[in-house]
Amino acid sequence: MRASDLIHLLPELILLGGAALVLLLDIVWLRRAEERRRQLLPYVALGVLLVAALGLIPGGGDNVSVATMLVFDPFALFFKVFALLAVALIVLLATPYMQTRTPFSGEFYALLLATALAICLAVSASNLVMIYLSMEFLSITSYVLAGYFRQDRKSGEAALKYFLYGATASAVMLYGMSLLYGATGTTDLAGLVAGLSSGAAGQSAWLVTPAIILLLAGFGFKASLVPFHQWAPDTYEGAPTPVTAFLSTASKATGFAILMRVFLVGMGAASMASQWISLLVALSVVTMTLGNLTALRQTNIKRLLAYSSIAQAGYILIGVVAVVSDSTRIFTGINGVLIYLLAYLFTNVGAFAVVTAIEDATGKLEIKDYSGLVRRSPWLAGLLFIFLISLTGVPPTGGFLGKFFVFGAAVQTRMWVLLAIAAVNSVVAAFYYLNIVRYMFFVPAAEEGEPIRVGRPLQGALAITAVVTVLLGLIPGPVILWASESARSLLLALR
Amino acid sequence: MNQFPLLSVITLLPLVGGLILLALPGARLQKWWALGVSLATFVISCLLFVWWKAGEAGMQFVERLPWVPQFNIQYYLGVDGLSLFLVLLTTFLTVLVILFSWEGVEQQLKPFLALLLLLETGMIGVFVALDLVLFYAFWELSLIPMYFLIGGWGDAHGTYNFLGRTLSWRVYAALKFFLYTFAGSALMLVAILVLYIRGGTFDLLALQQIGLAPNLQFWLFLAFGLAFAIKVPLFPFHTWLPDAHVEAPTAGSVILASVLLKMGTYGFVRFCLPLFPDASRQLGPWIAALAIVGILYGALVALVQKDVKSLVAYSSVAHLGFVMLGIFALNAQGVAGATLQMVNHGLSTGALFLMVGMLYNRRHTRLLADFGGLWKQIPIYGFLFLIVALSSAGLPGLNGFVGEFNILLGAFQMNRAYAVFGTLGIILAAWYLLVAVRQMLHGPLNKAENMAVRDLNVREIVTLAPIILLFFVIGLFPNLFFDKINPSAQAVVDALNRPQPIVSMAVDSER
């Protein structure tokens, strides 16, 4: 490791320092201060995120390996920007919400910054050991965030379930990694593909299939793929709503980023690719179908969005399995995944922002509590409608753009059965998304309520997410370019 | 070529007007504003007719801008003889339904009018878009306002149990409408992507030249066709229609029947025939057969309806069957007749729904049995209703006859049996419409509620008069319209019968 490499680690270092700073400010400076000064903390966190984003610029366009364990390529850069954006939105969501619910709001922002750091490391990791460590880092901070309301039993349940599933999944994943190490004698992704396809490892090639399955437990847990999804509904329901928004977007995206890097770089050779592709096709079908069918029966909005997020993971997987190595194509599969994840970030965080606003004002989370919302708060109802049609995949929204690209990739690779199942699924999904719309617009409220007051930070989050969701549909050009460019660095590894 | 972006103005003016409407206070101002916007749109759209280059088959008033250049998606608009009158029909009827809604929409008038204007943008966009992605976007855009119009302002009566949820009928109807259409368009999206990967463009006119393998054409035709068949609706995909039509508020029913259904038939003419000529010839007879089933089935079911609005709804199934029969006669006469008949059905059925709505506003019932002898009480209404019914039944001298006659001529050239069954449908149409006229207008005026009904007021007459005027214009001077339709219809049919270029079998699936 050279000193000049540090420039690539700038955002990570800033986040590390920032997290420590927020923590220290909370303990030392604000110790006896009045509550008003404490309200500055989220803005400190936002500032740290902004500086970290600026820190991405010096090492921006490079494609280098640092300290043998991290690689800085456009693909990692995409997800780092993604993570900073996501965490910034979550901070906005959490600002009024957390302050009224817990006295420990300072640590919350420090932890959020730590998750951003974890994601930045995870998406750069090019070595199984580093991948494991950064995923654990992300998981442990997430467990704490999920159980942040200590007095609330549901929040505790959320954290415990998440922890138990997560611990098991990561142990299983670690076992898979050890199998790969046993077969090849290396933990480096690039070394892995060389070792597995060379003759020397010929007799241990059979290890690849079990290793893939074991690794999937870890990645699938983060990305909430069926059958590693069981934690998701309870955790999503019990966790503080901004944390739920985080788990369903940034955390899920990290799972996909690692999955793509490990499989494309570490097992990109054709003989291995066919194995994980067929496995992922099956997972995709099961994930979207089960997610959608279970979502139909939900009455709690957070649980509904949890199952919807499982189903969406199934659609995103289509992009992964439809990958093509020719990066000059419009649809490479991977660019579809990136576009989808980005659109889903803004859409889903937006939806959770509305949920947060309503929960904050009324404390209610059942879908039937949304009755007559259009009379009470037409803006919130209208915004949630935009997010819901984006989740459904109706133009002109980001959700449509994402579906367009993953479906396009599947058409290109002629996965007709998968496409047909996905098409049917998207109609099923339309039903339960419209069910929320039905309550908001067509069912009169049981009792008249006052208009819902929305704090400034949350207003900001709503405005940003809604505008981006629509703009992604209207002016998709720049994002398509960016995603395709970012995907290219990963596709080069695939042969 | 004209440099003024006429089509963009027509398409986007209602959208902009609708957004401004949301900021306006006071019901009175809102109504006048909505009327003004729709009227302005209509007047501007009439320029299409005035500046039309006669005898030209291709696209006119073309506008073309890159939208997503990296991806070859364009903002590409144009009209030809097939779409011209559908655009005019849309702008025309939007004015009238806003005029109709002057009274009777008691609550939430502002969003109601805004949705109508948004819907207008979506519908016009569907008829003028020549880029498949743009088309798809407008197609879906027209879905959402209609969903809200049915679900939010429909008739509130009855509930329905669906998947363990108790929905009111109108919400059920709205949901059914949305899900049916959405299911169709999901497959259409896949088909659009296949075309793009084959042709490298979403440009409709360019895609017509690429020459697809007949086998592929078959599947793509089915994917597009399903979306359109649901919209038309072609038997047996019609089951959403009676619910949606009956539950929708009158303005919604009018737009739904007159314009939205035409998006399906237009889709067949604009997309299925030119893009998939081999498949069209192969599947044409089957679709024509389904169309005939629809004609007879719709008519027979209409005959036994007790509710006059359901009667009109089922008559739409029958009439749209005629349009489909004309299209899949696959000759110029049939296609041209079908194109005019789309407009005719829009006018006749639109007028029928308006008149049913006017009566409903007075009596709050639509059951045929509740009426009787109304002619004595409200003669102006009776007289106009008779004209509208006769127009819908295809009386010579009125508009319906011209379209149906050409469709039957076309069908006759293809297969005589089809023409015979089609004629049977015309007889049935006269039957159920005259049954309605008899039960409503004739007989003794023996119900107390009917004796207090007021006749049409000036606003209502003004709403109906332009439609009825057009009945006669089309009926007596059909060539005013056929002149513009025929070249384009002929071009579609010529392309259909032209030998296809050698098929390129590019292999796209290598990793």
Side-chain angles (χ1 to χ4, degrees):
Chain A
M1 172 134 183
R2 299 183 308 277
S4 62
D5 286 346
L6 280 177
I7 199 165
H8 292 106
L9 285 170
L10 208 53
E12 283 83 354
L13 293 172
I14 294 168
L15 284 172
L16 185 61
L21 174 75
V22 171
L23 208 54
L24 279 176
L25 277 180
D26 189 39
I27 313 174
V28 181
W29 181 53
L30 297 173
R31 198 165 176 202
R32 266 183 270 277
E34 71 274 37
E35 201 49 33
R36 282 195 55 195
R37 220 195 281 172
R38 196 182 293 276
Q39 288 177 7
L40 290 175
L41 276 179
Y43 299 101
V44 176
L46 283 179
V48 171
L49 288 166
L50 181 69
V51 177
L54 294 175
L56 286 170
I57 295 170
D62 301 2
N63 191 347
V64 291
S65 176
V66 174
T68 70
M69 290 230 174
L70 294 168
V71 43
F72 290 85
D73 55 4
F75 181 78
L77 184 66
F78 179 93
F79 278 100
K80 286 178 188 178
V81 175
F82 185 102
L84 296 176
L85 274 173
V87 173
L89 287 172
I90 304 298
V91 169
L92 289 177
L93 246 66
T95 302
Y97 180 88
M98 297 304 288
Q99 265 156 6
T100 53
R101 282 174 172 70
T102 166
F104 311 107
S105 58
E107 297 145 54
F108 184 80
Y109 300 107
L111 281 169
L112 273 181
L113 291 177
T115 60
L117 171 59
I119 296 174
C120 285
L121 290 172
V123 298
S124 270
S126 64
N127 186 303
L128 291 178
V129 175
M130 189 65 207
I131 289 172
Y132 179 77
L133 288 175
S134 53
M135 277 180 83
E136 280 299 279
F137 182 15
L138 176 59
S139 292
I140 290 166
T141 42
S142 303
Y143 303 148
V144 181
L145 286 174
Y148 208 80
F149 295 151
R150 274 183 240 170
Q151 287 79 14
D152 182 36
R153 304 182 103 191
K154 278 204 156 177
S155 184
E157 182 198 351
L160 188 63
K161 279 211 169 135
Y162 194 24
F163 170 70
L164 289 178
Y165 274 104
T168 315
S170 76
V172 172
M173 177 176 73
L174 193 60
Y175 186 49
M177 289 175 171
S178 76
L179 288 185
L180 286 177
Y181 179 68
T184 60
T186 176
T187 53
D188 183 62
L189 289 182
L192 217 57
V193 73
L196 286 172
S197 42
S198 75
Q203 60 268 50
S204 45
W206 62 273
L207 277 172
V208 173
T209 312
I212 290 174
I213 296 173
L214 296 175
L215 285 178
L216 267 178
F219 307 154
F221 162 75
K222 271 269 160 278
S224 68
L225 305 177
V226 175
F228 315 109
H229 69 288
Q230 286 103 331
W231 60 275
D234 288 326
T235 304
Y236 280 27
E237 186 188 351
T241 310
V243 176
T244 311
F246 171 80
L247 293 178
S248 69
T249 52
S251 180
K252 184 190 288 280
T254 311
F256 273 104
I258 296 173
L259 184 149
M260 285 188 284
R261 194 186 285 283
V262 170
F263 283 159
L264 292 180
V265 177
M267 302 177 187
S271 62
M272 283 173 282
S274 63
Q275 289 188 37
W276 55 259
I277 285 179
S278 45
L279 209 61
L280 287 181
V281 169
L283 281 195
S284 163
V285 169
V286 182
T287 302
M288 63 180 134
T289 310
L290 197 112
N292 276 327
L293 291 182
T294 324
L296 282 176
R297 303 202 63 83
Q298 301 308 313
T299 56
N300 177 295
I301 187 115
K302 279 165 89 177
R303 283 186 86 84
L304 182 133
L305 287 173
Y307 281 107
S308 126
S309 128
I310 293 170
Q312 301 276 353
Y315 301 136
I316 299 172
L317 260 191
I318 297 175
V320 181
V321 299
V323 59
V324 286
S325 54
D326 179 1
S327 64
T328 57
R329 295 281 182 85
I330 289 282
F331 301 117
T332 56
I334 302 303
N335 65 355
V337 174
L338 301 191
I339 292 170
Y340 204 120
L341 284 170
L342 196 66
Y344 185 66
L345 166 68
F346 288 99
T347 306
N348 218 39
V349 170
F352 273 113
V354 177
V355 173
T356 308
I358 291 166
E359 191 192 355
D360 211 25
T362 67
K364 291 186 175 151
L365 284 168
E366 293 295 307
I367 297 172
K368 66 174 189 303
D369 299 328
Y370 284 59
S371 300
L373 186 65
V374 65
R375 298 285 165 88
R376 200 171 171 188
S377 294
W379 276 100
L380 283 180
L383 289 174
L384 187 53
F385 175 71
I386 293 178
F387 299 129
L388 288 173
I389 63 164
S390 178
L391 288 173
T392 316
V394 174
T397 57
F400 170 70
L401 187 70
K403 281 232 169 64
F404 194 80
F405 266 79
V406 294
F407 281 26
V411 166
Q412 188 167 267
T413 45
R414 302 183 177 200
M415 301 186 155
W416 303 122
V417 178
L418 184 59
L419 270 171
I421 294 172
V424 172
N425 261 296
S426 64
V427 179
V428 174
F431 177 78
Y432 61 78
Y433 292 131
L434 283 181
N435 193 41
I436 306 176
V437 176
R438 173 172 76 90
Y439 274 107
M440 290 194 300
F441 288 88
F442 302 150
V443 178
E447 71 233 42
E448 282 298 306
E450 291 172 7
I452 287 164
R453 290 172 53 85
V454 181
R456 277 291 151 77
L458 201 52
Q459 282 180 6
L462 283 168
I464 294 169
T465 49
V467 168
V468 175
T469 300
V470 175
L471 278 187
L472 279 175
L474 288 179
I475 316 172
V479 169
I480 295 174
L481 267 188
W482 183 34
S484 305
E485 205 55 46
S486 306
R488 183 161 303 157
S489 59
L490 212 58
L491 291 168
L492 294 177
L494 191 70
R495 277 174 291 275
Chain B
M1 198 81 253
N2 216 305
Q3 288 306 304
F4 182 67
L6 194 56
L7 286 177
S8 289
V9 171
I10 297 169
T11 311
L12 299 177
L13 187 63
L15 176 68
V16 175
L19 290 177
I20 295 173
L21 174 76
L22 289 176
L24 295 178
R28 213 180 143 72
L29 178 61
Q30 287 158 7
K31 280 193 268 194
W32 280 105
W33 173 263
L35 185 66
V37 169
S38 59
L39 204 58
T41 313
F42 173 63
V43 170
I44 297 172
S45 69
C46 285
L47 292 176
L48 292 175
F49 190 85
V50 175
W51 290 344
W52 192 258
K53 286 207 196 76
E56 210 170 288
M59 290 296 163
Q60 307 197 22
F61 305 99
V62 174
E63 288 172 40
R64 198 168 189 167
L65 292 168
W67 179 13
V68 189
Q70 302 85 352
F71 201 30
N72 219 347
I73 301 179
Q74 303 175 75
Y75 177 79
Y76 185 14
L77 308 178
V79 284
D80 66 358
L82 301 173
S83 47
L84 169 69
F85 292 109
L86 291 171
V87 174
L88 291 174
L89 178 73
T90 310
T91 56
F92 176 67
L93 282 172
T94 305
V95 178
L96 297 186
V97 297
I98 288 176
L99 204 56
F100 174 88
S101 309
W102 215 252
E103 287 157 20
V105 183
E106 282 91 11
Q107 46 185 349
Q108 301 289 320
L109 183 72
K110 183 164 77 171
F112 181 83
L113 294 172
L115 285 169
L116 277 179
L117 291 174
L118 177 63
L119 186 57
E120 187 180 7
T121 288
M123 295 183 301
I124 298 174
V126 164
F127 294 133
V128 300
L130 295 178
D131 179 281
L132 289 176
V133 177
L134 192 63
F135 166 77
Y136 186 83
F138 280 124
W139 176 272
E140 301 269 292
L141 184 65
S142 66
L143 192 55
I144 292 164
M146 201 56 191
Y147 168 78
F148 279 107
L149 285 176
I150 300 174
W153 286 269
D155 296 331
H157 61 81
T159 57
Y160 186 81
N161 252 348
F162 188 56
L163 286 185
R165 296 175 175 90
T166 310
L167 309 178
S168 71
W169 259 111
R170 60 176 182 187
V171 175
Y172 167 72
L175 189 65
K176 200 167 169 182
F177 165 76
F178 189 99
L179 289 182
Y180 268 59
T181 315
F182 192 70
S185 46
L187 282 180
M188 182 164 76
L189 179 64
V190 173
I192 289 175
L193 287 163
V194 175
L195 281 174
Y196 175 69
I197 283 167
R198 280 312 168 95
T201 176
F202 292 104
D203 177 338
L204 175 65
L205 301 183
L207 281 171
Q208 291 172 6
Q209 311 299 329
I210 60 174
L212 298 160
N215 189 30
L216 185 62
Q217 279 189 30
F218 179 82
W219 291 106
L220 292 179
F221 183 101
L222 286 187
F224 271 91
L226 181 67
F228 298 145
I230 289 172
K231 202 80 173 180
V232 168
L234 188 66
F235 181 90
F237 305 105
H238 64 282
T239 55
W240 65 269
L241 180 134
D243 288 320
H245 273 65
V246 173
E247 296 306 314
T250 301
S253 305
V254 172
I255 295 288
L256 190 60
S258 305
V259 186
L260 246 66
L261 305 188
K262 307 308 177 305
M263 285 165 43
T265 46
Y266 168 79
F268 275 108
V269 186
R270 171 67 76 226
F271 296 92
C272 283
L273 296 193
L275 284 173
F276 320 120
D278 295 325
S280 299
R281 282 197 303 272
Q282 189 186 349
L283 288 166
W286 297 99
I287 295 183
L290 282 180
I292 286 175
V293 174
I295 294 173
L296 299 178
Y297 171 86
L300 289 173
V301 179
L303 206 49
V304 297
Q305 292 305 307
K306 297 185 173 67
D307 179 326
V308 60
K309 202 171 181 185
S310 312
L311 185 148
V312 180
Y314 277 104
S315 86
S316 279
V317 177
H319 280 117
L320 267 297
F322 268 108
V323 176
M324 290 298 291
L325 180 62
I327 294 170
F328 283 93
L330 299 180
N331 50 43
Q333 206 139 28
V335 172
T339 308
L340 187 63
Q341 189 62 13
M342 291 184 212
V343 179
N344 289 336
H345 173 261
L347 295 172
S348 308
T349 306
L352 277 175
F353 274 122
L354 285 174
M355 297 206 74
V356 170
M358 288 168 184
L359 196 55
Y360 180 79
N361 285 351
R362 290 167 165 74
R363 283 280 284 109
H364 298 282
T365 176
R366 293 183 310 241
L367 293 180
L368 283 169
D370 289 344
F371 302 122
L374 284 175
W375 196 302
K376 298 188 190 86
Q377 178 67 25
I378 44 173
I380 304 177
Y381 181 92
F383 178 64
L384 295 183
F385 191 85
L386 184 64
I387 297 180
V388 173
L390 290 176
S391 146
S392 182
L395 185 78
L398 292 174
N399 59 342
F401 174 75
V402 187
E404 285 179 355
F405 187 69
N406 275 283
I407 288 171
L408 288 177
L409 275 182
F412 191 81
Q413 290 168 31
M414 179 185 64
N415 185 334
R416 286 174 195 192
Y418 287 0
V420 171
F421 281 112
T423 315
L424 198 58
I426 294 190
I427 298 169
L428 287 172
W431 187 358
Y432 62 72
L433 284 162
L434 291 177
V435 163
V437 167
R438 189 192 69 207
Q439 298 215 9
M440 288 166 69
L441 304 176
H442 300 300
L445 180 64
N446 54 4
K447 296 188 180 60
E449 300 91 337
N450 290 337
M451 292 178 191
V453 174
R454 283 170 299 105
D455 210 337
L456 298 181
N457 62 28
V458 175
R459 178 181 55 83
E460 288 168 327
I461 294 173
V462 168
T463 310
L464 291 171
I467 304 185
I468 290 172
L469 184 68
L470 273 176
F471 287 170
F472 287 99
V473 173
I474 299 178
L476 298 175
F477 311 103
N479 281 341
L480 212 56
F481 300 85
F482 278 130
D483 281 349
K484 297 186 169 55
I485 294 173
N486 278 339
S488 301
Q490 188 65 49
V492 167
V493 175
D494 287 348
L496 206 57
N497 297 323
R498 190 185 307 141
Q500 290 303 301
I502 299 299
V503 169
S504 65
M505 286 290 287
V507 180
D508 294 312
S509 65
E510 287 162 299
R511 285 180 190 282

